[in-house]
Amino acid sequence: MRRFKPSSQALTQIAGAVVLAFLVMPIFAVVPASFNQASFIKIPPEELSLQWYSAFIEDRGWMSSLFNSIRVALLTTAIALVIGTLAALGVERLPKRMRPFVIGAVLSPLIVPVIMISIALYYVTRSIGLYGTVTGLALSHALICVPFVLLNVSVSLQRLDPNLARAASGLGARPGYVFRTVTLPAIWPGVASGGAFAFVLSFDEVVISLFIAGYGAKTLPVKLWEQIRVEFTPVAAVGSTLILTFTVVLFILTRLSARKRNSAAEGSQ
């Protein structure tokens, strides 16, 4: 009888799945905790109930923070997409010797500790009147979201044949039309991935939000932080579950969109 010997690739995939499960499963533990009928966190819950979801919806503070998070994340995504995409297009046209310096400058917010960035943004937003506003918070979040858009769009730009844009320009198309019909459809997977990263980072960001949000633009992570400092009830698990749900659904939609576009591109070839 022939014995089954798993290949090294299969062993690597199994090990990766185990490590991923070890890292992810504690995060998903908040989901059953949000359906707990008791007034305290217990995993697994003895009885299931939606009472804490009702309490979340009926609480004006929780709902206000949720809508603030969505508004800030959408505005941050729009700002980061515009700046990051333009930066990626500009870097692609620079001489190769200058590209590392420009990319390093754009990626520098990822190197500086977030607490230092938060302190600096606090003083800047206070001085220009944007402290405690959705606009100020979105601009602050965009600072750390732009690098992810730049990286994702740059990867898509490297796969783009520059002769396509040159051919369109040679046929008389204007730069704006070339970008809409040639460049943007080709780099759309990178734009979509960068937008997903920007939305999730903004929606989950807590350190910068603690410094900039104030009372008028309190987001869901800030509300969670304040609630946990007082007491950790299943309502906080509901908020954590909503954040987790937004993140998972957004990345699934992004992956499906990218796979569909890649399939259409392969079919056209």
Side-chain angles (χ1 to χ4, degrees):
M1 184 175 180
R2 189 174 182 180
R3 298 179 62 184
F4 173 74
K5 294 183 178 180
S7 62
S8 59
Q9 184 178 1
L11 291 176
T12 303
Q13 293 177 351
I14 294 173
V18 171
V19 173
L20 183 62
F22 177 78
L23 296 174
V24 172
M25 290 306 294
I27 300 176
F28 284 94
V30 299
V31 177
S34 65
F35 293 97
N36 199 347
Q37 188 178 16
S39 59
F40 54 89
I41 297 293
K42 187 174 183 179
I43 302 174
E46 294 182 353
E47 296 184 19
L48 300 180
S49 175
L50 295 175
Q51 63 175 341
W52 298 109
Y53 282 87
S54 299
F56 184 95
I57 295 173
E58 294 172 0
D59 190 296
R60 183 175 298 179
W62 282 108
M63 292 302 296
S64 175
S65 62
L66 175 61
F67 287 126
N68 281 338
S69 290
I70 295 175
R71 288 194 298 166
V72 171
L74 289 175
L75 185 56
T76 299
T77 302
I79 296 172
L81 281 178
V82 172
I83 298 177
T85 303
L86 292 177
L89 293 172
V91 168
E92 192 68 18
R93 289 172 171 78
L94 289 176
K96 291 185 177 180
R97 293 183 178 181
M98 294 182 60
R99 292 180 186 178
F101 299 100
V102 178
I103 293 177
V106 178
L107 299 184
S108 58
L110 302 180
I111 303 173
V112 180
V114 181
I115 186 67
M116 300 301 298
I117 296 176
S118 302
I119 294 173
L121 289 172
Y122 171 78
Y123 283 104
V124 171
T125 54
R126 291 278 294 187
S127 61
I128 61 178
L130 290 178
Y131 173 79
T133 63
V134 171
T135 303
L137 195 55
L139 290 172
S140 301
H141 285 184
L143 184 64
I144 62 173
C145 294
V146 167
F148 291 93
V149 178
L150 171 67
L151 292 175
N152 283 276
V153 176
S154 296
V155 172
S156 296
L157 281 173
Q158 292 176 1
R159 301 175 182 175
L160 176 63
D161 187 358
N163 293 324
L164 296 177
R166 294 170 186 167
S169 300
L171 293 174
R174 295 183 178 181
Y177 186 79
V178 173
F179 175 78
R180 293 195 308 271
T181 58
V182 178
T183 306
L184 184 58
I187 66 174
W188 178 251
V191 175
S193 299
F197 272 106
F199 186 92
V200 171
L201 282 173
S202 176
F203 198 81
D204 294 348
E205 175 57 41
V206 62
V207 179
I208 293 178
S209 300
L210 283 172
F211 278 82
I212 311 299
Y215 181 79
K218 186 181 297 184
T219 60
L220 185 56
V222 175
K223 179 68 175 177
L224 277 170
W225 171 258
E226 295 177 352
Q227 178 69 22
I228 292 173
R229 291 181 64 186
V230 178
E231 58 178 346
F232 190 34
T233 64
V235 181
V238 172
S240 301
T241 301
L242 291 176
I243 293 177
L244 185 61
T245 302
F246 270 97
T247 304
V248 172
V249 170
L250 183 61
F251 272 108
I252 290 176
L253 292 177
T254 303
R255 294 302 302 169
L256 291 176
S257 176
R259 182 177 298 180
K260 183 178 180 180
R261 184 170 290 273
N262 291 334
S263 300
E266 293 176 359
S268 62
Q269 294 176 358

